[in-house]
Amino acid sequence: MKRTPQDCPSRLPENTAVKQQQLPACRLQLSATGILSGFFATGVFCLGMGVILILSAKSSMEIEINYTKICASCAKLRENARNFDKECTCSIPFHLTQTMRGNVYMYYKLYGFYQNLHGYLLSRSNSQLLGTDVKDVETCAPFSKSHDGTPIAPCGAIANSLFNGTTKPPSWPKPVYELDENDPGNNGFLNDDFIVWMRTAAFPTFKKLYRRLSRTQHFIEGLPAGNYSFNVSYNFPVTRFQGEKSVVLSTLTWSGGHSLFLGLAYTVTGAMTWLAAFSMMAVHLKLKGKRFSPDDKVKL
């Protein structure tokens, strides 16, 4: 018995615009003029932004005071762990040649301190920092518990490398709930200095914000030029790993601080874009007017 077409199921797709591929479409036809114009416009934008950002960064003022050698006696004292309870203060003089206008931001800067080491990054307890489980110190080795088995809070190598003590992290001079005696709300794991330090840096040389000097009625224009000095309680030795410490004072502009990285990145991108545009334009002018058939072979 022969099968009729009605008995066999049809394999044809449904007669719809989607399955029959009858939807309206638009094919973008790019011309050499349009592509080159886009490259040149992108290059102009990047070069312009680069120049503006560089000029803006140059307009900010920054001064760095390296006190590694000035506080050499305190550093030698701190290298011995038995002297953790002995205070050592050194005075750091510096001179401002011109007024630092606007708000002045104070940073501490470290050289040769690798916060990006894998073991250092993992030595922390996020559940403890969030307050969900203060006793969770399994991932904080070797700074998880004190000599009597009490969990350290905050635990881990990152928190330990901040200050000095016994049941607290060995580098802390006071408990975590007494970090700021003037502001009760700025204590514990919510302390501003502690939060800034826990944000690890990607490079061995870095600076982190410490304080801000806001304009007041006595310093309307900012920090006047003159002679100044810092009194530093030395609690963080760096000479053992050939590191250095500095204090950085800086003003900010609309584009950020004194760093030229962003402006140089825009400038290099614009220059590379223009170089690519001129190269494509040269190839276009060379091959303009020539016709190629499918049988022509392109020699590489």
Side-chain angles (χ1 to χ4, degrees), residues 4 13-14 61 167 173 177 183 231 254 258 288:
T4 60
E14 296 179 3
M61 183 178 178
T167 57
Y177 51 83
D183 185 4
N231 292 325
W254 63 270
H258 199 66
K288 187 177 181 181

Side-chain angles (χ1 to χ4, degrees), residues 52-125:
I52 293 174
L53 290 172
I54 290 175
L55 294 177
S56 177
K58 289 284 188 179
S59 65
S60 65
M61 183 178 178
E62 181 176 295
I63 178 174
E64 179 176 346
I65 308 104
N66 192 314
Y67 61 95
T68 306
K69 296 182 179 179
I70 299 177
C71 300
S73 58
C74 290
K76 187 175 182 179
L77 178 69
R78 287 300 182 201
E79 286 183 355
N80 190 346
R82 297 179 180 178
N83 299 324
F84 74 93
D85 58 342
K86 296 181 180 180
E87 293 188 4
C88 186
T89 305
C90 57
S91 180
I92 307 170
F94 66 96
H95 176 72
L96 286 181
T97 57
Q98 55 183 342
T99 301
M100 301 185 73
R101 301 185 181 280
N103 296 332
V104 179
Y105 295 83
M106 178 180 178
Y107 303 83
Y108 58 87
K109 188 172 184 178
L110 291 178
Y111 292 85
F113 192 92
Y114 291 83
Q115 278 197 317
N116 58 352
L117 293 177
H118 184 67
Y120 184 87
L121 290 173
L122 296 180
S123 184
R124 59 185 294 165
S125 174

Side-chain angles (χ1 to χ4, degrees), residues 120-140:
Y120 184 87
L121 290 173
L122 296 180
S123 184
R124 59 185 294 165
S125 174
N126 292 328
S127 60
Q128 187 188 73
L129 295 174
L130 292 173
T132 56
D133 188 359
V134 181
K135 297 183 180 180
D136 181 16
V137 294
E138 296 181 358
T139 59
C140 294

Side-chain angles (χ1 to χ4, degrees), residues 210-271:
Y210 182 66
R211 292 293 184 270
R212 182 182 69 181
L213 178 61
S214 301
R215 287 178 292 182
T216 61
Q217 58 181 355
H218 300 290
F219 301 102
I220 299 177
E221 296 185 354
L223 191 62
N227 296 318
Y228 297 89
S229 64
F230 286 119
N231 292 325
V232 177
S233 296
Y234 202 97
N235 293 318
F236 197 97
V238 295
T239 53
R240 180 169 294 181
F241 56 88
Q242 288 77 46
E244 295 182 4
K245 299 201 310 183
S246 298
V247 174
V248 178
L249 298 177
S250 177
T251 58
L252 298 182
T253 62
W254 63 270
S255 62
H258 199 66
S259 176
L260 301 176
F261 174 79
L262 189 59
L264 292 176
Y266 267 100
T267 304
V268 172
T269 302

